[in-house]
Each structure stands twice: as C-alpha cells, then as structure tokens.
C-alpha cells in the first residue's frame, strides 16, 4: 500500500512539474524577441516645491502626458497615492512624491485639470479618481490606451490589453512587472534605482504607445520612427487634429465591463472603425438603427400625371388624408395631387425621380442602417429656408461600421472648421455652460476635507480650509456647511454662448458662400468614404446647377 502511494505521488509530481514547465515555455517562448525598454529619458525625482519648479521650468508640457500612480497596500487596504508619474513625449518624466509634498503647486493642479492636455495610460481614469479622492486633485483629459487600441484595428495583435501586453506588441519591448518592484515600498525614505526606472518607464511607455497608435492609424501601418523625431516627418498641426478626432468620445470615459488583462475575450469599447456591432446592442449605443426602410419609392404625380418625385409612404398618405391627392396605384404606391405644385423637375434625370435602394451607399450592406447627414445637422439648421428645404439629397444610408468611420472623418473636418472660422467646439464661447473656477475649487476642497480616508498633508489641508474661509467668510465649518460646499453647483450659464454650427455658417456665408460649404462636406464624404453605391444622379453640385428645383407645396 505504501509503495503504491509512493508511486502515485511520484507520477503526480512528474505531471505537475511537466505541466508547469509546459506553461512556462508557452508563456515565455516568445519573450526573446522582445528587448528591454531602453529609451532616452530624463527623470526628475520630486518631493518638494523647489524640485518641482526646476522640473516645470525645464520641460515643455505638450498636448499629451503619460500618467501613472503608485501606492502601498496593507492587509488588502490601499493607502493614499504615494507617487504620481508624469511623462512627456520627449522623454522627460517627473516622479512626484505626493506623500512628501507639503502642498501642491498651482501649475501642477492646472496641468492635471486641463482637459486639452491628454493624460494617457491603462486605467488612467481610475488613477485620476484616486488622486481626487486622496488629495482633492482634479484630473481631466484622461484617455485609456485600451480605447485607442480598440480604434486601431488590424495593425497590432496584443497578447493582452494591459500595459505589458501593449508594450510587447506595439513597442516590441518587455517591462519588468515583477511583484518585488511593483508591490514595493513606495513610501520608503529613498527609492532604489529599480523603483525609479520602473516608475518612470510605466509613464513613458504609456505616452510612447499612444503616439505610436496615432501614427499607425494615420498611416495604416506600423510606424518605424523614433517618437522624439515624430514632428520631423509629420505636420504637428495635422497630427494633433487627427488625434483629437480619433479620441473623440473616449476622453474621461472608463473602459466598460470587467476588464482583465488576462481575459482575451474582453474587447473594450464597442464603437470602432471596422468592427461590426450586433443589433442586440442598439439600445446602449449612441446611434439608432432604422427599424424600417428609408426609401419606400412611392410616386407623387402632378394633376396632369407627370412624375414629380419619389417620396416616403407617410408623406403620400398624408396628402390623401388631407384631401390633397388621390391614390391611383398600389404597386408601386402612387398618389396624384389635386393642386398644381410650385415647381416641376427639369428633366427625367432629376435626382428626386429615381428609385433608391435601401443599402449602405459605401459597402453595399443590406442590414442595420443608420441615416447619414452628409452636411451635419448642426450646420444645416442655420441655413436659410431655401437651402433647408428638400435636404433629403444629403441624407444617405450607411451600415453601422461605415457610419462610425464616417463620423470620425467628420470630426476631423469639424475641428478644421473650428480653427478656420474661430468657432470653438468645446471651450470658450462654444460652451453653453462655463465652469466657475472659484466654485469648483470650493467644491473640491470640501470633498477632500470630508473624505475620511484621505491622507492630506497639513499644509495642503490648511490651503483647502483657506479656500472655504475666503468663500464663506467664516473660520468654523460645521458638517452641514462642508456638505453644502461639497455639492455646490460650479457650472454657470455662458452669456456669450453661440453654437459652433451657427458661427461656422455665419463665417462661411460671408466667405465663399453656403453652396461652397455644402460642396465641401459632400466632397469630404466622397473622398474619405469612397462610396460605391450612391443613388443615381447624387451629386456634390446638387442645388448648384442651374435647373429648377422641385418644391411641392399646398
């Protein structure tokens, strides 16, 4: 019996050892092709205001920063963030020891709160929440790299979507993610060189991955260029305009679902360039799929029987219900007006006389349509009535994936128009409500002071109390006042607000005309999407030709 047990134990042991060896081989067999992360960098270790000022006076804060945080956990409970890492695309990295700082410089607070400076990383929004919870620091402009990766399909294949997996696939490097360093003492009096390298690399890798993903999307292939040299081969304005377009809708948005870097089944955010989206998900998306055809191809006839146009069945039935027309045929559904229309088509080649198919005009798909406004509604709504009427020419059908891709191209043109027409999209006079910075500081200060878990330096706590004292004019704060301050509304109506679309239309009306503006949007659609199934006689010059346009009125 004893010998049998011994044999079984040996067999089990052999199987376990063999299985472990096989796992390690499969897990690390490809690591030889990855090199250690070596990058030209300048690291600033900061634990006081003087060190910070030296850093901020040395570097140029660009439009993107890699951001990461480190902290210590005891008995499964997280302590306040001890280290904040900020990295520029040029390789400068600040390691800011928040737990050692007596107060936080205003310029640091402004950089973190500035939404136009993107903060990139994996789970970067969660890091921002920790900074706000622990120290009352407001962090805006967070872009999770998993969102960006999900919009750059077909170029990279990542083992996982964590920072390590993306670094391997996109940069071809290995990061040291051993628990010995990752879970080390980030509140120690002095950091080891390994800790410094680890912390700096996490932030630097984040910004490097981001820049590579943007270039890959721009070029349609893996870029082969040092990030430091990017603007020697790419126009800087064009790059940042494209970047804003690509990250549209992902800024300060968490990656939904139970993300796990070891779970390959999770695909991150669902609105991507070329991924088909299930009809079952339509209730959770920003787009509404059509439940019925756009084109019924009903015919509208003049009193003498001449064809005027094709129209929707609801419109045809409306004429009948109002006693303005009679039904003369069921298939195709045809109605004849009892009154003379204001205009008639100039020829049989008129766009409005043609039957139109219910298919995606780009790829020909026959499922899951979305109406595409070639000239976006935010502009056409400010057109004069003569250009608003019968705008169906610029309403086309797209499948979901083509619509998402087209919207991204539209966003690029919108930002170009914003610059060209001095018509901001998301700031200044382009914002219906403005943030009152003083009220926002009061709210943040109160929330930080009310947080029982926050480890706030005494000098910083004094600053927060001073903010409340200056606002309320009192020195003794009851819990009720703190609660009231924590819920204070800091958004105020912008009296100078004018919508972006209105400003653009006004500018274009005076500079080139609205016909040219219409043509620009139509050309944008044709050149970017290259549609293969446009309705017959659809034209970028529609309305601009010298034939009489159809208007059916009572």
């Amino acid at each position: 019996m004893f010998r049998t047990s011994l044999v079984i134990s040996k067999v089990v042991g052999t199987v376990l050892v063999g299985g472990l060896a096989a796992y390690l081989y499969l897990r690390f067999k490809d690591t030889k092709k990855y090199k250690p992360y070596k990058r030209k960098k300048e690291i600033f270790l900061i634990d006081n205001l003087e060190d910070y000022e030296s850093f901020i006076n040395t570097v140029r804060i660009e439009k993107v920063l890699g951001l990461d945080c480190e902290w210590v956990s005891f008995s499964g409970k997280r302590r306040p963030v001890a280290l904040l890492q900020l990295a520029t695309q040029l390789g400068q990295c600040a390691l800011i020891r928040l737990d050692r700082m007596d107060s936080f410089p205003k310029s640091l607070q402004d950089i973190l709160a500035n939404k136009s400076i993107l903060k990139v990383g994996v789970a970067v929004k969660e890091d921002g929440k920790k900074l706000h919870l622990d120290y009352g620091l407001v962090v805006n402009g967070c872009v999770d790299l998993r969102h960006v990766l999900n919009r750059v399909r077909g170029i990279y294949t990542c083992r996982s979507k964590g920072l390590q997996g993306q670094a391997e696939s996109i940069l071809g490097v290995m990061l040291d993610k051993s628990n010995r360093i990752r879970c080390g003492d980030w509140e120690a009096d002095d950091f080891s060189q390994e800790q410094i390298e680890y912390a700096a690399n996490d932030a630097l890798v984040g910004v490097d991955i981001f820049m590579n993903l943007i270039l890959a999307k721009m070029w349609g292939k893996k870029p082969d260029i040092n990030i430091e040299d990017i603007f020697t081969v790419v126009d800087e304005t064009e790059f940042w305009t494209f970047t804003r377009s690509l990250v549209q809708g992902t800024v300060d948005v968490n990656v939904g679902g139970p993300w796990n870097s070891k779970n390959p089944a999770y695909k991150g955010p669902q609105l991507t360039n070329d991924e088909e989206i299930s009809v079952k998900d339509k209730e959770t998306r920003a787009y509404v799929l059509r439940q019925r055809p756009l084109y019924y191809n009903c015919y509208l006839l003049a009193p003498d029987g001449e064809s005027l146009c094709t129209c929707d069945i609801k419109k045809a039935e409306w004429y009948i219900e109002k006693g303005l027309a009679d039904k003369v045929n069921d298939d195709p559904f045809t109605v004849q007006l009892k009154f003379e229309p204001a205009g008639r088509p100039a020829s049989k080649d008129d766009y409005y006389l043609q039957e139109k198919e219910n298919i995606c005009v780009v790829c020909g798909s026959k499922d899951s349509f979305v109406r595409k406004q070639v000239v976006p509604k935010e502009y056409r709504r400010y057109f004069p009535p003569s250009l608003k009427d019968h705008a169906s020419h610029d309403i086309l059908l797209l499948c979901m994936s083509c619509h998402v891709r087209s919207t991204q191209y539209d966003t690029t043109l919108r930002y170009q128009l914003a610059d060209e027409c001095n018509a901001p999209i998301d700031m200044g006079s382009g914002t219906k409500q403005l943030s009152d910075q003083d009220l926002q500081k009061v709210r943040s200060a109160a929330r930080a002071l009310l947080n029982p878990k926050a480890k706030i330096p005494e000098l910083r706590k004094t600053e927060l109390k001073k903010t409340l004292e200056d606002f309320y004019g009192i020195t003794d704060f009851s819990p009720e006042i703190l609660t009231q301050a924590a819920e204070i509304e800091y958004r105020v109506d912008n009296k100078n607000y004018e919508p972006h679309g209105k400003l653009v239309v006004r500018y274009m009306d005076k500079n080139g005309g609205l016909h040219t503006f219409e043509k620009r949007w139509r050309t944008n659609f044709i050149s970017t999407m290259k549609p293969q199934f446009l309705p017959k006689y659809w034209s970028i010059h529609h309305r601009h030709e010298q034939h009489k346009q159809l208007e059916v009125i009572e």
Side-chain angles (χ1 to χ4, degrees):
M1 182 69 178
F2 174 78
R3 292 183 63 186
T4 302
S5 299
L6 183 61
V7 170
I8 292 174
S9 298
K10 288 183 177 180
V11 171
V12 171
T14 302
V15 171
L16 290 175
V17 171
L20 178 61
Y23 167 78
L24 292 174
Y25 170 76
L26 292 173
R27 171 65 179 83
F28 296 106
K29 67 175 183 176
D30 291 327
T31 58
K32 291 182 179 179
K33 68 182 181 182
Y34 302 119
K35 55 189 177 183
Y37 182 63
K38 299 291 185 182
R39 189 202 202 282
K40 180 182 177 182
K41 54 180 175 273
E42 184 178 9
I43 301 174
F44 298 79
L45 189 58
I46 298 168
D47 60 9
N48 56 63
L49 291 177
E50 290 74 17
D51 289 343
Y52 175 81
E53 292 300 330
S54 175
F55 162 75
I56 205 66
N57 292 329
T58 301
V59 305
R60 174 187 170 192
I61 300 298
E62 298 286 353
K63 299 180 185 295
V64 61
L65 290 171
L67 185 148
D68 196 27
C69 293
E70 306 295 343
W71 58 86
V72 174
S73 295
F74 287 117
S75 302
K77 294 184 178 180
R78 180 185 70 83
R79 288 174 57 81
V81 171
L83 183 69
L84 167 64
Q85 303 108 280
L86 295 175
T88 73
Q89 71 193 55
L90 297 178
Q92 296 124 338
C93 184
L95 306 182
I96 306 174
R97 304 196 64 176
L98 299 179
D99 61 332
R100 300 300 180 91
M101 301 284 285
D102 293 326
S103 63
F104 303 125
K106 184 178 185 303
S107 62
L108 174 61
Q109 298 178 50
D110 292 342
I111 289 169
L112 293 175
N114 190 341
K115 192 170 184 176
S116 65
I117 300 176
L118 301 179
K119 290 83 180 177
V120 299
V122 171
V124 66
K125 179 66 176 174
E126 294 303 315
D127 286 340
K129 288 180 179 178
K130 291 182 178 71
L131 292 172
H132 186 263
L133 184 67
D134 295 344
Y135 300 105
L137 294 170
V138 177
V139 184
N140 293 319
C142 298
V143 176
D144 198 300
L145 291 172
R146 291 168 286 174
H147 280 310
V148 186
L149 177 63
N150 213 50
R151 291 188 171 182
V152 184
R153 293 285 185 176
I155 298 177
Y156 296 107
T157 302
C158 295
R159 175 178 58 82
S160 76
K161 293 190 178 181
L163 194 65
Q164 173 76 295
Q166 292 193 43
E168 290 176 4
S169 174
I170 297 168
L171 304 181
V173 300
M174 284 289 291
L175 296 177
D176 186 353
K177 286 290 186 180
S178 63
N179 286 341
R180 179 177 58 83
I181 302 176
R182 185 169 60 87
C183 301
D185 185 4
W186 296 104
E187 295 179 358
D189 290 338
D190 297 299
F191 288 159
S192 67
Q193 188 58 37
E194 284 182 314
Q195 282 181 298
I196 292 173
E197 286 289 325
Y198 171 94
N201 286 348
D202 266 10
L204 287 164
V205 162
V207 75
D208 280 359
I209 289 173
F210 180 79
M211 301 294 282
N212 271 274
L213 287 173
I214 300 299
L215 277 180
K217 188 64 178 178
M218 287 184 74
W219 294 348
K221 63 180 182 179
K222 295 180 181 180
D224 184 18
I225 183 176
N226 290 327
I227 293 303
E228 301 97 316
D229 303 327
I230 181 173
F231 295 129
T232 63
V233 296
V234 178
D235 179 78
E236 187 171 354
T237 301
E238 179 185 356
F239 179 88
W240 292 120
T241 299
F242 185 87
T243 299
R244 285 186 294 183
S245 170
L246 187 63
V247 303
Q248 179 84 358
T250 69
V251 180
D252 292 324
V253 175
N254 283 320
V255 172
W259 178 79
N260 185 325
S261 63
K262 296 181 180 179
N263 177 13
Y266 178 66
K267 298 183 182 298
Q270 297 303 303
L271 289 181
T272 64
N273 285 0
D274 50 9
E275 181 182 13
E276 290 189 6
I277 301 176
S278 170
V279 177
K280 295 179 181 178
D281 298 329
K282 65 178 181 293
E283 297 300 329
T284 63
R285 290 192 308 272
Y287 305 106
V288 179
L289 298 179
R290 292 192 62 79
Q291 301 301 306
R292 61 190 185 91
L294 176 63
Y295 305 120
Y296 281 89
N297 294 314
C298 301
Y299 282 91
L300 196 63
L301 306 181
D304 60 4
E306 181 185 4
S307 291
L308 297 174
C309 64
T310 58
C311 67
D312 180 85
I313 192 169
K314 283 190 174 182
K315 184 174 183 179
E317 290 175 341
W318 181 86
Y319 280 115
I320 295 173
E321 291 172 3
K322 297 297 181 181
L324 302 174
D326 294 320
K327 183 174 72 171
V328 296
N329 198 10
D330 285 316
D331 188 17
F333 195 90
T334 306
V335 298
Q336 188 170 19
L337 297 179
K338 296 180 179 180
F339 62 92
E340 181 62 29
R344 295 186 181 228
S347 73
K348 293 182 180 180
D349 296 337
D350 190 273
Y351 172 81
Y352 295 104
L353 287 174
Q354 311 308 312
E355 290 191 4
K356 302 169 184 69
E357 291 188 82
N358 288 287
I359 62 174
C360 172
V361 300
V362 174
C363 68
S365 170
K366 297 184 178 181
D367 299 311
S368 306
F369 302 123
V370 182
R371 283 162 50 111
K372 168 67 180 178
Q373 305 265 357
V374 176
V375 181
K377 192 174 181 179
E378 69 173 320
Y379 303 113
R380 191 175 288 282
R381 67 187 300 178
Y382 298 108
F383 281 14
S386 61
L387 287 179
K388 276 200 246 184
D389 292 342
H390 299 284
S392 61
H393 172 272
D394 290 324
I395 299 176
L396 301 172
L397 284 180
L398 297 184
C399 65
M400 177 59 73
S401 60
C402 288
H403 192 281
V404 172
R405 190 156 53 91
S406 177
T407 300
Q408 290 184 349
Y409 288 124
D410 286 356
T411 301
T412 300
L413 181 52
R414 288 177 72 240
Y415 275 106
Q416 291 174 0
L417 290 169
D419 294 336
E420 183 180 328
C421 306
N422 191 25
I425 292 175
D426 53 7
M427 61 184 66
S429 62
T431 303
K432 197 168 186 177
Q433 286 190 317
L434 297 174
S435 295
D436 186 308
Q437 298 298 320
D438 292 334
L439 292 178
Q440 190 171 14
K441 288 179 181 178
V442 168
R443 175 171 160 147
S444 294
R447 291 191 171 193
L449 291 171
L450 283 172
N451 179 15
K453 297 181 180 180
K455 180 185 175 183
I456 305 175
E458 285 302 318
L459 188 54
R460 173 61 174 164
K461 191 178 293 186
T462 301
E463 291 176 353
L464 295 175
K465 290 181 178 179
K466 182 69 165 54
T467 299
L468 295 173
E469 289 173 5
D470 292 344
F471 182 77
Y472 286 104
I474 57 177
T475 57
D476 187 20
F477 302 104
S478 65
E480 291 76 17
I481 290 179
L482 282 176
T483 301
Q484 176 186 344
E487 300 301 326
I488 197 168
E489 179 55 64
Y490 62 87
R491 291 178 293 271
V492 295
D493 290 337
N494 182 1
K495 296 179 181 179
N496 298 319
Y497 169 71
E498 281 194 289
H500 161 79
K502 186 176 183 179
L503 293 172
V504 169
V505 170
R506 181 190 300 158
Y507 179 91
M508 287 297 172
D509 191 31
K510 297 177 180 178
N511 297 272
L514 296 181
H515 282 168
T516 301
F517 184 57
E518 269 189 324
K519 181 179 177 182
R520 183 171 177 179
W521 274 104
R522 292 167 182 165
T523 302
N524 175 70
F525 179 72
I526 294 294
S527 62
T528 58
M529 298 303 295
K530 298 177 174 54
Q532 302 298 309
F533 301 91
L534 281 171
K536 193 175 183 181
Y537 301 125
W538 193 94
S539 170
I540 62 173
H541 302 290
H542 183 69
R543 291 187 181 278
H544 313 156
E545 300 153 346
Q546 297 303 311
H547 67 272
K548 187 177 181 181
Q549 299 299 310
L550 171 66
E551 291 185 3
V552 180
I553 61 174
E554 182 179 349

